[in-house]
Amino acid sequence: RLRMSGDDMYLFSASRDGTVAVFEVKLREGRLIKREHMDTLPLAQEILVTKSDLEEKESQMADLKAKVEDLTVNNEYQLRLHDMTYQDKLKQITEQFNLKLEQNRNEYDMLRDDKQDLELEFE
């Protein structure tokens, strides 16, 4: 990247490997160039950082991404365990319900038969 200083006296060059070069801008005769309209161009919004700082941040980001991945896997595992537990509980409750329902049906059938027998007996 290339950027001029706010007063057009210096040219800054930054590369991907973290190297920064600063050049003084002059005319061929050796005189410095002066900018007539300093307010016409906006100032650059970049912030220069050292390569070690950038590598440290990248390392921290990689560590955090690994932690996020581990937590995601762990959470998914825990959710599956809870789901399996609830499915087992649901199956158990359903079986108990069906057993009780069958018992009540048998009792109802017995009572209905007894009722019919008593009705026939009293007729």
Side-chain angles (χ1 to χ4, degrees):
R1 293 192 156 216
L2 294 173
R3 293 285 184 221
M4 292 293 292
S5 64
D7 59 1
D8 281 341
M9 304 267 302
Y10 298 98
L11 174 68
F12 299 97
S13 171
S15 66
R16 290 185 184 204
D17 68 354
T19 305
V20 176
V22 180
F23 302 95
E24 190 174 34
V25 180
K26 295 182 178 183
L27 294 174
R28 281 191 183 180
E29 298 85 32
R31 294 180 298 153
L32 294 173
I33 297 177
K34 294 196 177 186
R35 191 163 98 182
E36 296 175 6
H37 304 288
M38 288 186 69
D39 296 330
T40 58
L41 294 175
L43 298 177
Q45 296 295 321
E46 284 91 17
I47 298 174
L48 300 177
V49 294
T50 63
K51 186 175 181 180
S52 61
D53 287 344
L54 185 59
E55 289 171 346
E56 182 182 336
K57 294 296 181 189
E58 287 174 347
S59 173
Q60 288 175 349
M61 284 177 46
D63 291 343
L64 290 173
K65 285 180 182 179
K67 285 181 182 179
V68 166
E69 184 66 29
D70 289 344
L71 288 172
T72 301
V73 169
N74 187 24
N75 284 344
E76 289 173 355
Y77 175 73
Q78 292 296 327
L79 286 173
R80 279 189 301 242
L81 283 178
H82 285 298
D83 190 42
M84 288 171 47
T85 302
Y86 291 131
Q87 290 297 330
D88 289 343
K89 286 181 180 179
L90 180 63
K91 183 178 178 183
Q92 181 183 11
I93 290 171
T94 303
E95 288 174 356
Q96 289 174 353
F97 173 78
N98 287 333
L99 180 65
K100 188 68 173 174
L101 181 64
E102 188 63 32
Q103 288 173 351
N104 286 339
R105 281 183 182 159
N106 289 338
E107 184 179 347
Y108 173 77
D109 288 341
M110 284 178 29
L111 289 173
R112 190 184 60 208
D113 289 344
D114 286 347
K115 177 185 171 196
Q116 286 175 352
D117 288 346
L118 286 173
E119 284 177 349
L120 288 175
E121 185 178 313
F122 286 112
E123 282 182 4

